[in-house]
Amino acid sequence: MKFKYILSVIAFVAVSNSSFAQYAKDAVRYSTFQTGSTSRIKAIGNAGTAIGGDLTSISGNPAGLGYFTRSEVSFTPEFDGSNNNSAYLGQSGTATKSNLNLSNVAIVFYSRLNTPSGQDKTKGWVSINWGGSYNRTNNFYEGIQYGAKNNTNSVNDYYASLANSFGVDNGGLQAWAYDQKLISPYGTASNYTYSSNSLPGVQQNNTINRTGGQSAIDFSVGANYSNKLYLGFGFGITDLRYKYTNNFNETGSVTVTENILPVTRGFNSTYSRFQDTKGEGLNARFGIIYKLLESVRIGATITTPTFLTVDDTYSEGLTNNLSNGNKYSNGPTDYPLTYTMRTPFKAAGGLSIFLGQYGFITGDVEYIDYSTTHMDSNDNYTNTYDNGIIKSTYKSAINAHAGAEIKLGSVALRGGLGIQGSPLKTNGVATKTVTGGLGYRIGSYYIDATYVHLTNSQSILPYDIGTTSPTANVNGTNNNFFLTIGYRY
């Protein structure tokens, strides 16, 4: 069973930009989580490293908790809408998906330290504040659809390449394709090669559906020293849920043997893959904010690797219907596996300039080396292949965030930009975000609304047969809305 699992998962994967193992791709997918934040910080491009005094500090830079002078609580629901436009062999396709989620719930408890009578209450350790939050840090919801007539090759060519490499006696995808009349051996009995039975000109359609996300429960503490230096520490308990469905359908004509004679029949085959992944992990954060001047703050945060335990169930199936009435079906067959992995560490630095009562401008830079993502071997899994693919395919990336807030009495106007560098060494495209929002304060209550527009691109190979492999180019947009309601007490 382990052999079949490796054969099917490694060999037939809808991949981005290059052909590599499903585990390697998933490991990096789970390493791209973002800092959970309130609508206010999202509106300024998620640039919160050197801000302080926002509930985002619980999951971001914990030193920012030292700025609180009152306890505070808030919650943030979100609406996510995605749209993917694809181009495949000259044909276009579109798929949309939307969902509602709880983005952030947070609370901080203010605790002023006792200062001996007669001493300056603004000097020394002024306060130590505690906070906890729930954050949604990654959203996997996505739909992709593409299709066209392929006059150059067929997915059956891929099945044939597997049969030539591994044979058809050990089961697996290529054995199913052979049994379902999609491939056959051609040549002499002592010297034959498996080839596709399909005739040129096949109609191909691929539908991909992804759901799930990552979330974290974070706990942090931040301290204020002389209203000048702020230090913080926190840790997070992460949760991972990911589901993936891929149905690749191909129709056309195949040459099959009936009563010892070759005849042409129509065929309709579908290769289906399913993945259900769950995981839990831990990480920690260390942060600092320092006031260079009353109006200028610098901050830095280091986030340790997240150590995850992942339970993964992959299943696959192949069906084919011939026009002579014969119907074939194999699977779905499940291949469960549990493994552990380590995401990269993150380092971020930020600068904020405050303009008195009129607002501020701020910017962050974050460094993350995706090539250090590491998967651990166990009795049922050997990590050599996947870790090698991670090191050869991925690289370090720089994420940049910038934003500003303008205050007009009890109303605040906000805007920001973000760039998330691609983890791929070649053909990678950065993910870009544009953000904007409004805030309103009335007494101890506040409400913040934010719009986030995100764009990204990816290239998908439905199957890999070398230089003639077809490619789908997908351009995606996400339009997300966040609403934070908070109370200070």
Side-chain angles (χ1 to χ4, degrees), residues 280-322:
E280 294 81 28
L282 292 170
N283 63 18
R285 300 171 304 282
F286 305 87
I288 182 172
I289 297 177
Y290 184 74
K291 284 185 179 180
L292 293 175
L293 301 170
E294 190 61 31
S295 60
V296 180
R297 304 174 187 175
I298 57 173
T301 308
I302 292 177
T303 303
T304 70
T306 301
F307 297 88
L308 283 164
T309 298
V310 180
D311 294 315
D312 183 279
T313 298
Y314 172 86
S315 64
E316 61 181 355
L318 181 66
T319 64
N320 184 35
N321 297 328
L322 295 180

Side-chain angles (χ1 to χ4, degrees), residues 7-77:
L7 179 64
S8 60
V9 175
I10 290 179
F12 195 109
V13 180
V15 296
S16 298
N17 294 302
S18 61
S19 179
F20 51 90
Q22 181 71 43
Y23 290 146
K25 190 170 99 170
D26 284 345
V28 173
R29 185 198 314 278
Y30 308 147
S31 300
T32 59
F33 58 89
Q34 304 296 305
T35 299
S37 58
T38 62
S39 293
R40 180 191 183 208
I41 299 300
K42 288 186 185 297
I44 57 172
N46 229 31
T49 301
I51 295 295
D54 187 276
L55 288 168
T56 298
S57 300
I58 300 170
S59 56
N61 185 348
L65 292 179
Y67 277 88
F68 281 86
T69 58
R70 299 169 64 182
S71 297
E72 188 172 326
V73 62
S74 77
F75 74 97
T76 306

Side-chain angles (χ1 to χ4, degrees), residues 397-419:
I398 299 295
N399 303 328
H401 311 271
E405 177 181 274
I406 299 175
K407 291 184 177 180
L408 303 173
S410 58
V411 176
L413 306 178
R414 304 178 182 118
L417 298 170
I419 298 177

Side-chain angles (χ1 to χ4, degrees), residues 34-331:
Q34 304 296 305
T35 299
S37 58
T38 62
S39 293
R40 180 191 183 208
I41 299 300
K42 288 186 185 297
I44 57 172
N46 229 31
T49 301
I51 295 295
D54 187 276
L55 288 168
T56 298
S57 300
I58 300 170
S59 56
N61 185 348
L65 292 179
Y67 277 88
F68 281 86
T69 58
R70 299 169 64 182
S71 297
E72 188 172 326
V73 62
S74 77
F75 74 97
T76 306
E78 65 175 293
F79 170 82
D80 300 320
S82 71
N83 181 80
N84 282 319
N85 295 314
S86 61
Y88 182 68
L89 301 176
Q91 297 295 314
S92 60
T94 300
T96 60
K97 199 171 189 66
S98 61
N99 63 293
L100 290 169
N101 287 297
L102 181 61
S103 177
N104 173 273
V105 177
I107 188 169
V108 64
F109 299 98
Y110 169 69
S111 177
R112 180 174 180 83
L113 298 177
N114 292 326
T115 304
S117 179
Q119 292 189 10
D120 188 344
K121 296 183 180 296
T122 64
K123 300 298 183 181
W125 294 107
V126 177
S127 63
I128 297 180
N129 303 322
W130 309 79
S133 66
Y134 163 86
N135 300 281
R136 187 172 178 84
T137 58
N138 211 341
N139 185 25
F140 299 136
Y141 279 78
E142 182 180 41
I144 298 174
Q145 192 281 327
Y146 59 86
K149 187 175 183 180
N150 189 335
N151 295 310
T152 304
N153 53 62
S154 161
V155 68
N156 296 335
D157 293 312
Y158 176 76
Y159 303 148
S161 70
L162 286 183
N164 290 321
S165 297
F166 302 104
V168 298
D169 296 329
N170 294 315
L173 178 59
Q174 74 282 1
W176 296 348
Y178 173 72
D179 293 338
Q180 296 184 18
K181 313 302 181 183
L182 297 173
I183 62 174
S184 294
Y186 291 85
T188 65
S190 60
N191 184 20
Y192 61 86
T193 300
Y194 287 95
S195 297
S196 166
N197 289 338
S198 56
L199 301 179
V202 293
Q203 180 66 37
Q204 299 176 330
N205 291 282
N206 199 23
T207 301
I208 300 171
N209 185 51
R210 298 187 179 107
T211 61
Q214 284 174 271
S215 60
I217 296 177
D218 296 301
F219 301 94
S220 294
V221 57
N224 173 353
Y225 185 81
S226 297
N227 293 317
K228 189 80 170 178
L229 174 66
Y230 302 82
L231 302 174
F233 167 77
F235 68 92
I237 303 170
T238 66
D239 180 79
L240 163 67
R241 295 292 184 271
Y242 175 65
K243 289 187 177 182
Y244 167 83
T245 301
N246 188 328
N247 292 307
F248 185 89
N249 176 260
E250 185 173 279
T251 60
S253 299
V254 290
T255 300
V256 298
T257 301
E258 296 179 5
N259 298 320
I260 315 178
L261 297 175
V263 297
T264 299
R265 300 295 186 188
F267 80 99
N268 185 333
S269 73
T270 300
Y271 179 69
S272 300
R273 287 171 290 146
F274 311 94
Q275 183 180 351
D276 189 354
T277 303
K278 299 178 181 179
E280 294 81 28
L282 292 170
N283 63 18
R285 300 171 304 282
F286 305 87
I288 182 172
I289 297 177
Y290 184 74
K291 284 185 179 180
L292 293 175
L293 301 170
E294 190 61 31
S295 60
V296 180
R297 304 174 187 175
I298 57 173
T301 308
I302 292 177
T303 303
T304 70
T306 301
F307 297 88
L308 283 164
T309 298
V310 180
D311 294 315
D312 183 279
T313 298
Y314 172 86
S315 64
E316 61 181 355
L318 181 66
T319 64
N320 184 35
N321 297 328
L322 295 180
S323 59
N324 62 5
N326 290 340
K327 298 181 179 181
Y328 306 91
S329 180
N330 292 97

